[in-house]
Amino acid sequence: MAIKVVQKVNRITANTSTHTLSDPIALKSGYLRISTGTTPVYVETGIGTPVATVNSFHLGPYGNEVLKERIARQSIVGITTGTSTIVIFDNNAGNPFLSGDYASIENVTTAGINTEHKLVSAVYDNYLVLSHNTSSVTGVITATGASIARSVKVSVLAATESQVVSITEIVQLVTE
């Protein structure tokens, strides 16, 4: 079996006293490979701000596991600014997001629109509403080539001593 790295995520240091969070990960494949060294760690993934505890998924010394997250990604054809931000999809494109998801906007050309890890507060057939205040954004918004993706964070807690944890998003390839 072979794997292909889709995107690299920041390495984080797991501490024993409190959990540590990764940067937001705008999902592409939804397969997150978590690796640790000599110290076991507890891992929690998910939307919002997950908190790893001693009851979370346990990853043993020199362990690596692939955890699956639900992906949602859609092209954007328009954005309406305001105290909340409305993200518009093409007609009949469908809306793969759920209310309560977190999402990141990518590749919009107007400054202040691209965002990371904002709450999806409402979903409709061809648009969604983000809890992201863009009322101060001025200028023409160009959404050509822009997309919005469901995003998650990874939280880690070390079992015995501090440990660096590596995170990558992968696609699993099978060779015959």
Side-chain angles (χ1 to χ4, degrees), residues 92-114:
N92 300 321
N95 188 343
F97 294 89
L98 301 173
S99 185
D101 279 347
Y102 278 69
S104 298
I105 297 174
E106 303 167 321
N107 302 319
V108 176
T109 58
T110 303
I113 297 293
N114 291 323

Side-chain angles (χ1 to χ4, degrees), residues 63-85:
N64 70 70
E65 291 291 338
V66 176
L67 304 177
K68 175 67 173 134
E69 284 288 332
R70 179 180 59 81
I71 60 170
R73 182 175 281 274
Q74 189 58 275
S75 296
I76 298 170
V77 296
I79 294 177
T80 303
T81 59
T83 55
S84 293
T85 302

Side-chain angles (χ1 to χ4, degrees), residues 11-14 33-43 58-65 156-167:
R11 289 173 44 163
I12 53 178
T13 301
R33 184 175 186 266
I34 318 288
S35 303
T36 188
T38 58
T39 301
V41 296
Y42 300 99
V43 179
H58 182 264
L59 186 58
Y62 299 105
N64 70 70
E65 291 291 338
V156 294
L157 178 69
T160 57
E161 61 186 56
S162 293
Q163 176 64 57
V164 173
V165 177
S166 296
I167 305 166

Side-chain angles (χ1 to χ4, degrees), residues 3 9 18 21 32-34 43 52 55 64 68 71 74 86 115 121 126 131 163:
I3 59 172
V9 182
T18 184
L21 278 172
L32 299 175
R33 184 175 186 266
I34 318 288
V43 179
N55 295 317
N64 70 70
K68 175 67 173 134
I71 60 170
Q74 189 58 275
I86 299 173
T115 185
S121 56
N126 65 339
S131 293
Q163 176 64 57

Side-chain angles (χ1 to χ4, degrees), residues 101-169:
D101 279 347
Y102 278 69
S104 298
I105 297 174
E106 303 167 321
N107 302 319
V108 176
T109 58
T110 303
I113 297 293
N114 291 323
T115 185
E116 290 186 336
H117 211 62
K118 299 296 181 184
L119 176 67
V120 175
S121 56
V123 293
Y124 301 91
D125 289 342
N126 65 339
Y127 70 96
L128 60 78
V129 180
L130 283 181
S131 293
H132 177 52
N133 187 343
T134 53
S135 58
S136 63
V137 173
T138 58
V140 177
I141 298 171
T142 305
T144 304
S147 63
I148 185 167
R150 183 172 180 266
S151 59
V152 297
K153 290 184 178 182
V154 175
S155 172
V156 294
L157 178 69
T160 57
E161 61 186 56
S162 293
Q163 176 64 57
V164 173
V165 177
S166 296
I167 305 166
T168 52
E169 188 174 12

Side-chain angles (χ1 to χ4, degrees), residues 5-11 24-25 28 167-170:
V5 175
V6 176
Q7 69 174 312
K8 297 173 186 169
V9 182
N10 66 306
R11 289 173 44 163
I25 306 163
K28 295 180 180 180
I167 305 166
T168 52
E169 188 174 12
I170 63 167

